[in-house]
Amino acid sequence: MKAKLFTLAALFTTTSFISAPVVANDQLALSICSYVAADSRNNLRKVLTDNRLRLSNVYSGVICDGLPLVRHAIKHNANDTADFIIKQLPGSVVASSGDVEWAQSNGFANSPVIESIRARSAS
């Protein structure tokens, strides 16, 4: 019995230190999407801070109207918020996202966000 209890405690202890990507719940995702669409960088930063989240950890789990956050920001002309999102993501994620091609093929080729994406992809 003691061996089982010890094994269970050891298993719990080791798994509690393994970090898994954070999955945003529906209400939190809705808040993030609405702040992005409203170009409210400060509110987006606040909701992330209040929930102790890093944008890079929840980015892939938050889809707004069928679009990733950067594309959602481009669609809503949320340039300040898009710049904030791009700066928070690793350059490799930004480079592999295909956001520039998406913007050009969907009529957003003149968006100032495209230059931010290109600059972040190069670094």
Side-chain angles (χ1 to χ4, degrees):
M1 181 70 174
K2 287 183 181 181
K4 284 184 181 181
L5 190 58
F6 179 73
T7 305
L8 183 60
L11 180 64
F12 176 74
T13 303
T14 57
T15 58
S16 65
F17 293 110
I18 298 173
S19 84
V22 177
V23 178
N25 64 27
D26 292 340
Q27 183 61 39
L28 183 59
L30 183 62
S31 295
I32 291 171
C33 291
S34 65
Y35 292 142
V36 169
D39 200 15
S40 182
R41 185 185 73 204
N42 289 335
N43 285 335
L44 175 60
R45 180 180 283 148
K46 183 173 180 353
V47 77
L48 291 170
T49 302
D50 289 350
N51 289 285
R52 297 180 181 172
L53 298 172
R54 293 181 58 139
L55 188 58
S56 59
N57 291 347
V58 296
Y59 179 77
S60 63
V62 178
I63 304 295
C64 306
D65 295 331
L67 299 171
L69 287 175
V70 172
R71 294 180 189 185
H72 186 66
I74 292 170
K75 180 180 174 186
H76 291 280
N77 296 320
N79 301 328
D80 291 338
T81 305
D83 286 339
F84 170 73
I85 293 167
I86 292 165
K87 289 176 184 175
Q88 297 299 311
L89 297 175
S92 60
V93 171
V94 175
S96 66
S97 67
D99 291 333
V100 172
E101 294 80 11
W102 175 87
Q104 290 172 342
S105 67
N106 285 287
F108 299 106
N110 295 328
S111 174
V113 176
I114 294 193
E115 288 306 314
S116 297
I117 294 170
R118 288 185 176 139
R120 183 72 175 133
S121 297
S123 61

